[in-house]
């Protein structure tokens, strides 16, 4: 019976690529630091052009939803804090 490839008894054969010398930096090694910085900013601008920005109406709706949610959470935490405060005063004194 033959062992499976990569089993404990019979490890994988060495890949021929593993004996190659590793490259130093690829394309980045050929560019200076200012050119790399310029490329980085060009890529940022290209990615920002792909973003689908919300309309003013959507932005107003999202902002309103967030503010209402925060107000509700503040009220909830306040009520819980007030209740625990009175419960602690009742228990301890």
């Amino acid at each position: 019976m033959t062992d499976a490839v990569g089993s404990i008894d019979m490890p994988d054969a060495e890949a021929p690529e593993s004996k190659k010398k590793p490259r130093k930096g690829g394309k980045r090694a050929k560019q200076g630091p200012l050119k790399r910085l310029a490329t980085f900013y060009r890529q940022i601008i290209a990615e920002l052009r792909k973003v689908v920005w919300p309309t003013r109406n959507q932005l107003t709706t999202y902002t309103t939803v967030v503010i209402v949610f925060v107000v509700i959470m503040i009220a909830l935490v306040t009520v819980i804090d007030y209740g625990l405060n009175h419960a602690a005063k009742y228990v301890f004194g």
Side-chain angles (χ1 to χ4, degrees):
M1 191 161 156
T2 311
D3 286 336
V5 176
S7 68
I8 295 172
D9 297 331
M10 185 179 285
D12 288 339
E14 287 290 322
E17 295 85 26
S18 64
K19 295 185 185 209
K20 286 184 179 179
K21 207 176 199 183
R23 294 192 322 176
K24 275 191 161 182
K27 291 181 180 179
R28 274 193 254 167
K30 296 177 185 174
Q31 295 178 348
L34 291 178
K35 188 153 188 156
R36 284 188 298 189
L37 190 62
T39 303
F40 177 70
Y41 282 117
R42 266 189 263 118
Q43 289 173 349
I44 289 174
I45 291 170
E47 288 297 321
L48 285 175
R49 286 188 181 132
K50 295 177 188 177
V51 173
V52 179
W53 298 99
T55 62
R56 182 173 293 275
N57 190 22
Q58 290 172 331
L59 190 63
T60 306
T61 303
Y62 298 157
T63 304
T64 304
V65 167
V66 168
I67 290 173
V68 168
F69 177 77
V70 168
V71 167
I72 290 171
M73 292 308 295
I74 289 172
L76 181 66
V77 170
T78 302
V79 168
I80 291 172
D81 184 50
Y82 183 75
L84 289 175
N85 185 18
H86 281 293
K89 284 181 182 176
Y90 178 76
V91 170
F92 297 114

